[in-house]
Amino acid sequence: MTETLVPPPVEPAPKRLFIKTYGCQMNVYDSERMADVLRPLGYAPTETVEDADFVILNTCHIREKAAEKVYSELGRLRELKDEKARNSGNSMTIAVAGCVAQAEGEEIMRRQPAVDLVVGPQAYHQLPELLTRTARARGERIGADFAPDDKFDALPKARGVDGVTAFLTVQEGCDKFCTFCVVPYTRGAEWSRPVAAVVAEARELAARGVREVTLLGQNVNAYDGVGEDGEPSSLARLAFELAEIPGLDRIRYTTSHPNDFTDDLIAAHRDLPQLMPYLHLPVQSGSDRILRLMNRKHGRQKYFDLIDRIREARPDLALSGDFIVGFPGETDRDFDDTMDLVRRVGYASAFSFMYSPRPGTPAATMAAQVPDEVSRARLHALQALLTEQQVAFNTSQAGRVLPVLFERKGRHGRQAIGRSPYLQSVHVEDADHLIGRVVPVRILKGQQNSLTGELIAEGHVSSPGAEPLRAMGAA
């Protein structure tokens, strides 16, 4: 009797997923969740686009250059897609996701035929279904015309986290309608996830080794998700709930709006040790006239008063901000007011940009558009001041002892890199065995973008700080 040998089944080759993320931290979160959605379909991440079977560009529409970068990248992807099909017969699927997809979906399909599907920021949970349909017919576009809770309900409960820090979206959309901003049109109205859903995701993250979460929202301090009592919660109450999760040592949040900063959130900065003493609070301009044109619904004095109240509650608080120069109608006097505000407040770090007109926003059609060369000169002056403040803040840390959460190995020997309470990178030698732990570090020196420290005996952690920027000018 002849024995017939049956060969073992051949495992299908894994499919490779490459995601390129543009823009804000919420896009980073969304990209991570897209990978989670596609993992059950056999897609494993790859670091090189040349190896990818599926490429997603997760886009940002805040500035014109960000959108144009997408079209430039799509041109390169088209060549790569054609080359792969010609040389190996392998196919590559290309998707555009995020805010450019939402705002310019039809234009994307027209300008770049290599794109197989376009999906808005509230619809990426539909990617598995879209991939199946795209295999039959190219050119599907999905928007965001449904409730965001549909998306979150459909996402996998388990997240593919890699590291000890993680982003966690708790709020989406914006009702502020600043005249320069496309977010209300691409992300929709403000909406908050229920407390129970946020806490459940945070617990799952902590169980997987995450020690620090950053709560995300277009206006995160407008958070009003439903609590267990059926009543709207607040960001402060949510932070206290999250602080009860074992292993979750640090909580951050971004991005805040001055008009949504409540008394209980100020109190949380005073009373909740897990809430880090670092606040990103955009103001955009220091001119009351420009703030009115921007429809910010607050003036510079309200901003100053709010910062005074927060610093009274948490004297060691460090501030970050956003600034736009060259907004339509901005005069030299208006720009001087912005420089004055920066000097009075004192920032540990900040983001600053030249105004970029976005189609469909009121500011794009305003009179007195500022010439690029004027905006560029103002941006250079502003960034020089902000850099000076950042360097001063970092160098002021020398000699202090800070609790550092070690995140990853460094480039040299047993070096490890961690985060200070103020979000600075901290480089420490002989510390690679401490990744995932919060330990005291004596700061030796501060550079423009990082700190250098050394380990000390545990139990000698000082307070994170004491008004490190107030000497530059009180708010």
Side-chain angles (χ1 to χ4, degrees), residues 38-56:
L38 294 167
R39 192 172 296 111
L41 275 66
Y43 283 95
T46 177
E47 297 296 323
T48 56
V49 67
E50 290 79 10
D51 295 334
D53 302 292
F54 186 18
V55 177
I56 302 174

Side-chain angles (χ1 to χ4, degrees), residues 155-426:
L155 293 176
K157 302 305 178 188
R159 286 182 53 184
V161 295
D162 181 22
V164 298
T165 65
F167 293 126
L168 175 52
T169 292
V170 302
Q171 183 269 342
E172 289 203 3
C174 182
D175 296 340
K176 300 299 186 289
F177 288 93
C178 296
T179 56
F180 55 82
C181 187
V182 297
V183 167
Y185 311 102
T186 58
R187 288 275 183 172
E190 290 180 358
W191 175 85
S192 298
R193 297 177 67 187
V195 171
V198 174
V199 171
E201 186 169 342
R203 285 189 184 280
E204 197 267 336
L205 290 171
R208 296 170 68 88
V210 170
R211 306 293 300 276
E212 173 183 302
V213 294
T214 300
L215 309 181
L216 301 179
Q218 264 81 37
N219 286 318
V220 69
N221 57 334
Y223 176 84
D224 62 354
V226 176
E228 291 186 3
D229 58 2
E231 297 296 323
S233 182
S234 66
L235 186 64
R237 288 176 58 191
L238 177 64
F240 275 98
E241 291 247 12
L242 296 175
E244 296 296 322
I245 297 175
L248 198 60
D249 295 325
R250 291 181 164 188
I251 300 169
R252 304 182 188 272
Y253 61 90
T254 193
T255 293
S256 301
H257 194 288
N259 289 352
D260 293 319
F261 224 98
T262 55
D263 290 343
D264 68 337
L265 187 54
I266 294 175
H269 276 281
R270 180 192 64 212
D271 300 333
L272 189 60
Q274 290 89 339
L275 195 57
M276 291 294 95
Y278 181 83
L279 174 62
H280 185 64
L281 189 62
V283 63
Q284 307 301 353
S285 174
S287 163
D288 282 333
R289 193 179 71 85
I290 296 300
L291 289 171
R292 286 193 295 272
L293 290 174
M294 288 179 167
N295 195 37
R296 290 288 292 175
K297 300 184 177 70
H298 67 78
R300 56 188 276 132
Q301 191 58 50
K302 179 176 180 178
Y303 188 78
F304 289 148
D305 293 344
L306 175 60
I307 290 172
D308 280 344
R309 292 172 59 212
I310 300 170
R311 280 176 165 163
E312 183 178 0
R314 187 72 195 249
D316 60 337
L317 186 92
L319 278 165
S320 172
D322 288 347
F323 296 90
I324 295 172
V325 301
F327 188 81
E330 183 185 67
T331 64
D332 289 343
R333 173 62 183 274
D334 295 319
F335 178 67
D336 288 344
D337 286 345
T338 294
M339 296 289 278
D340 175 70
L341 180 143
V342 171
R343 292 188 185 96
R344 290 181 60 183
V345 171
Y347 290 90
S349 65
F351 303 93
S352 53
F353 312 95
M354 284 173 53
Y355 168 72
S356 175
R358 308 310 298 129
T361 60
T365 59
M366 285 182 178
Q369 298 283 325
V370 178
D372 280 355
E373 60 271 21
V374 175
S375 295
R376 199 169 291 113
R378 290 173 182 170
L379 182 64
H380 179 77
L382 175 60
Q383 289 181 338
L385 176 58
L386 291 170
T387 298
E388 177 186 322
Q389 291 190 348
Q390 181 172 329
V391 171
F393 176 70
N394 286 351
T395 56
S396 74
Q397 308 304 302
R400 299 176 57 210
V401 177
L402 299 177
V404 172
L405 170 59
F406 284 103
E407 294 184 285
R408 64 189 188 278
K409 291 184 177 181
R411 295 181 179 179
H412 312 293
R414 297 187 55 207
Q415 184 187 69
I417 301 174
R419 292 191 192 191
S420 78
Y422 303 114
L423 209 58
Q424 302 139 308
S425 291
V426 185

Side-chain angles (χ1 to χ4, degrees), residues 49-99:
V49 67
E50 290 79 10
D51 295 334
D53 302 292
F54 186 18
V55 177
I56 302 174
L57 302 184
N58 191 14
T59 61
C60 172
H61 203 251
I62 292 296
R63 287 176 297 280
E64 182 179 11
K65 286 186 178 180
E68 286 305 314
K69 284 180 182 178
V70 173
Y71 288 108
S72 177
E73 184 69 20
L74 286 174
R76 289 190 288 269
L77 288 176
R78 180 198 63 199
E79 295 176 1
L80 179 59
K81 182 176 184 175
D82 291 345
E83 181 182 346
K84 291 186 73 168
R86 186 169 55 250
N87 295 341
S88 64
N90 294 333
S91 62
M92 172 190 282
T93 302
I94 299 175
V96 180
C99 292

